[in-house]
Amino acid sequence: MKIDKLNWEILKCLQLNARQSNAEIGRKVGITSPAVAERIRKMEDSGLIKGYRTEIAYNQAGHQLKAIITLRAFMGRLKAFLEKVKEFDEVLNCYRITGNENIIMEVVLHDQSHLERFIDKMITYGETKTHIVLSNVIEDAPIQKPK
């Protein structure tokens, strides 16, 4: 799907607040509410807009730690890990990457002992490196039009 300037403006509005009304978006981008609705429907139908979700504050949901964990899989253990990782409730995002490590995961954990138990599960698949998140500098920034 070709994304024109107006669609980029609508996408930016939705990325900043997907709950705002079509009328509100229309006022910001200079078109009518029905025109906004039609453009959004077309972007959804094309697969450009994949969905809408609720963001939850992990620390208010009983998790004290957020961490980034990388895994360098042992020979022959990557495929098994790729299947097993889907079962771990702690994992928010998991990416297969290039470089020295094979995997990078964003996880939330109740406390340090939970982190220790989680790492114990990981070490059967490979070497891990854990980075505790102290704060978010940029989070869920809108995707912008390529220059």
Side-chain angles (χ1 to χ4, degrees):
M1 171 177 194
K2 186 171 189 262
I3 311 170
D4 64 15
K5 183 177 187 270
L6 202 50
N7 280 354
W8 274 113
E9 291 178 31
I10 292 169
L11 286 169
K12 185 174 182 179
C13 289
L14 289 171
Q15 289 178 89
L16 294 172
N17 178 7
R19 294 193 64 179
Q20 61 190 308
S21 69
N22 291 342
E24 191 175 344
I25 295 171
R27 282 190 293 278
K28 290 176 182 175
V29 302
I31 61 174
T32 66
S33 176
V36 170
E38 179 64 17
R39 284 174 172 267
I40 290 173
R41 186 193 59 73
K42 286 180 180 178
M43 288 187 280
E44 289 170 343
D45 290 348
S46 74
L48 176 62
I49 296 176
K50 294 177 11 176
Y52 305 90
R53 63 188 180 95
T54 300
E55 293 181 38
I56 297 173
Y58 70 90
N59 52 353
Q60 292 187 30
H63 302 282
Q64 293 179 14
L65 297 175
K66 187 180 223 180
I68 305 298
I69 300 177
T70 60
L71 177 90
R72 183 176 182 185
F74 296 139
M75 186 68 73
R77 297 293 288 154
L78 180 59
K79 187 174 180 180
F81 176 80
L82 293 173
E83 288 302 314
K84 187 69 175 171
V85 71
K86 297 171 187 171
E87 299 174 18
F88 298 136
D89 293 335
E90 298 89 346
V91 178
L92 300 178
N93 292 295
C94 179
Y95 304 98
R96 190 169 175 185
I97 59 171
T98 61
N100 290 329
E101 286 89 14
N102 307 96
I103 299 293
I104 188 166
M105 295 174 283
E106 180 182 5
V107 301
V108 291
L109 305 136
H110 303 297
D111 52 31
Q112 289 174 314
S113 62
H114 186 187
L115 172 61
E116 184 177 16
R117 290 190 309 274
F118 185 74
I119 291 171
D120 287 346
K121 289 189 253 184
M122 296 296 106
I123 61 176
T124 63
Y125 297 98
E127 294 178 28
T128 64
K129 289 183 187 174
T130 302
H131 310 272
I132 302 296
V133 174
L134 299 176
S135 64
N136 294 337
V137 178
I138 297 174
E139 183 177 46
D140 297 323
I143 295 174
Q144 303 290 331
K145 178 180 178 181
K147 294 179 180 183

